[in-house]
Amino acid sequence: MGVVITLSNQKGGVGKTTMSIALSVGLSMSGKKVLLIDADPQGHSSNILLPEQVLLELENNNQTFIDYISSRNQTITVQNVKTKYFNLDLIPSSIKSITAIMKGQFPFMNPLVLKTFLDSSKLKNKYDYIVIDSPPEIYTPTTISLVASDYVIIPTTPSLLGLRGVQLTLTEAIPFVQTLNPSLKILGIVFNMHHRRMKYETMQKLLAYIVSKLPQNVFSLLPNDYVYHTSFYANKKYFGEWLYEYDSAEMPLVTLLDKYNELKKLFISFAEETVARIKGEIK
């Protein structure tokens, strides 16, 4: 039975999509069978992984996240993303979700809809891990994602606004969802987007201050090694190839993985620590 993990934070722009892809890729490179679900109506993960024309065709053919959970399409067709380094499946998002939310339409009004979908479609039996990229704020796509999940990882930035997002997630979003899904567990907080221009000593002081403001029960879950900056871009001239910003140089992710071995290690270490936390090897 596959483990379901949602990446969630009440604040936007803290690296949820970056971390969702990094975790999915890292798990795949570690030999796990992985499904990434893009539950964010903005569809950043989908745009990174798939060419725009492919996404438009999937929308027109009702082969997106909203189509599956609303039963517009009973046949689940996942999109395979395969490179020489990793092989994972994707259920893409659709901007149609935004319209459904604005109109208050089913299925988002049913908090159990994604959990029911995963169970009834038997997708949890097909994968070792299902990673969900959720939107910011505790509105309907985030709620159904967390209700369907076994664990949540909270990405954030080493900033005061990032700290505020974590606090809101811990004090408001998670307790609310746990009334619907009491078994939901917090795996930890992942710091993302270390600003390279900031002096190391200044960053350490800022991190120490942020950590001091976090609840004690979360402090022990705080990974110490994930202070870095990653940004993915979809460059259409590569027809949907991954791009990664590294010292202001854009190139396909596979090319970057060829060139920078530390990036492969970073993704794999993130995945390995996640698995270790799930197994209870890290408290």
Side-chain angles (χ1 to χ4, degrees), residues 2-280:
V3 176
V4 184
I5 307 168
T6 288
L7 284 289
S8 181
N9 190 320
Q10 294 293 279
K11 186 183 181 303
V14 295
K16 288 185 296 298
T17 293
T18 298
M19 291 292 95
S20 297
I21 292 175
L23 178 58
S24 300
V25 169
L27 288 168
S28 175
M29 288 194 292
S30 300
K32 308 300 183 183
K33 190 168 177 57
V34 182
L35 172 66
L36 172 59
I37 297 177
D38 189 356
D40 187 346
Q42 298 179 80
H44 293 313
S45 291
S46 303
N47 279 282
I48 288 166
L49 292 169
L50 296 175
E52 185 176 350
Q53 185 57 42
V54 171
L55 286 173
L56 289 173
E57 291 175 4
L58 293 172
E59 271 198 1
N60 292 334
N61 294 326
N62 297 327
Q63 293 179 307
T64 69
F65 175 69
I66 182 66
D67 299 309
Y68 296 141
I69 63 172
S70 61
S71 300
R72 282 185 209 151
N73 193 333
Q74 299 288 337
T75 304
I76 311 301
T77 306
V78 300
Q79 306 303 308
N80 182 245
V81 183
K82 184 177 182 180
T83 75
K84 63 181 178 180
Y85 289 111
F86 59 87
N87 181 5
L88 60 88
D89 288 340
L90 168 74
I91 293 181
S93 182
S94 168
I95 201 167
K96 292 185 291 186
S97 300
I98 296 177
T99 303
I101 293 168
M102 290 175 63
K103 294 181 177 179
Q105 294 175 342
F106 179 85
F108 289 124
M109 297 302 102
N110 176 6
L112 296 174
V113 64
L114 181 53
K115 177 178 174 57
T116 301
F117 164 74
L118 292 177
D119 292 339
S120 62
S121 63
K122 296 183 170 51
L123 284 173
K124 291 177 73 172
N125 296 329
K126 299 177 183 178
Y127 296 95
D128 299 313
Y129 292 92
I130 296 176
V131 179
I132 304 176
D133 181 11
S134 69
E137 303 179 358
I138 190 66
Y139 69 108
T140 43
T142 301
T143 300
I144 66 173
S145 298
L146 291 171
V147 169
S149 296
D150 302 300
Y151 300 96
V152 57
I153 294 175
I154 306 172
T156 190
T157 56
S159 66
L160 298 182
L161 283 176
L163 169 62
R164 182 59 178 151
V166 172
Q167 291 172 329
L168 288 173
T169 302
L170 291 172
T171 60
E172 296 185 16
I174 301 300
F176 167 72
V177 171
Q178 285 176 330
T179 64
L180 302 168
N181 177 11
S183 62
L184 179 68
K185 296 180 177 63
I186 302 170
L187 275 186
I189 298 165
V190 178
F191 281 106
N192 181 47
M193 298 183 185
H194 166 223
H195 297 290
R196 297 178 187 274
R197 294 178 183 175
M198 185 178 290
K199 290 182 179 179
Y200 180 78
E201 294 80 7
T202 304
M203 178 59 64
Q204 291 301 103
K205 289 179 181 178
L206 179 58
L207 282 174
Y209 174 78
I210 292 171
V211 167
S212 72
K213 298 299 180 181
L214 293 173
Q216 187 62 40
N217 65 330
V218 177
F219 182 86
S220 63
L221 295 175
L222 192 66
N224 294 319
D225 298 325
Y226 303 136
V227 183
Y228 56 94
H229 179 278
T230 53
S231 298
F232 294 120
Y233 294 91
N235 186 331
K236 301 311 174 189
K237 74 178 182 180
Y238 292 109
F239 200 62
E241 283 282 354
W242 290 28
L243 292 183
Y244 174 81
E245 182 183 69
Y246 191 88
D247 291 334
S248 301
E250 293 186 359
M251 63 184 77
L253 180 60
V254 172
T255 304
L256 190 74
L257 290 171
D258 285 334
K259 188 174 181 180
Y260 298 105
N261 191 52
E262 65 267 25
L263 185 61
K264 293 194 288 287
K265 292 179 179 179
L266 194 63
F267 286 5
I268 291 172
S269 67
F270 181 27
E272 288 178 344
E273 179 163 343
T274 298
V275 173
R277 289 177 182 277
I278 291 172
K279 291 180 178 180

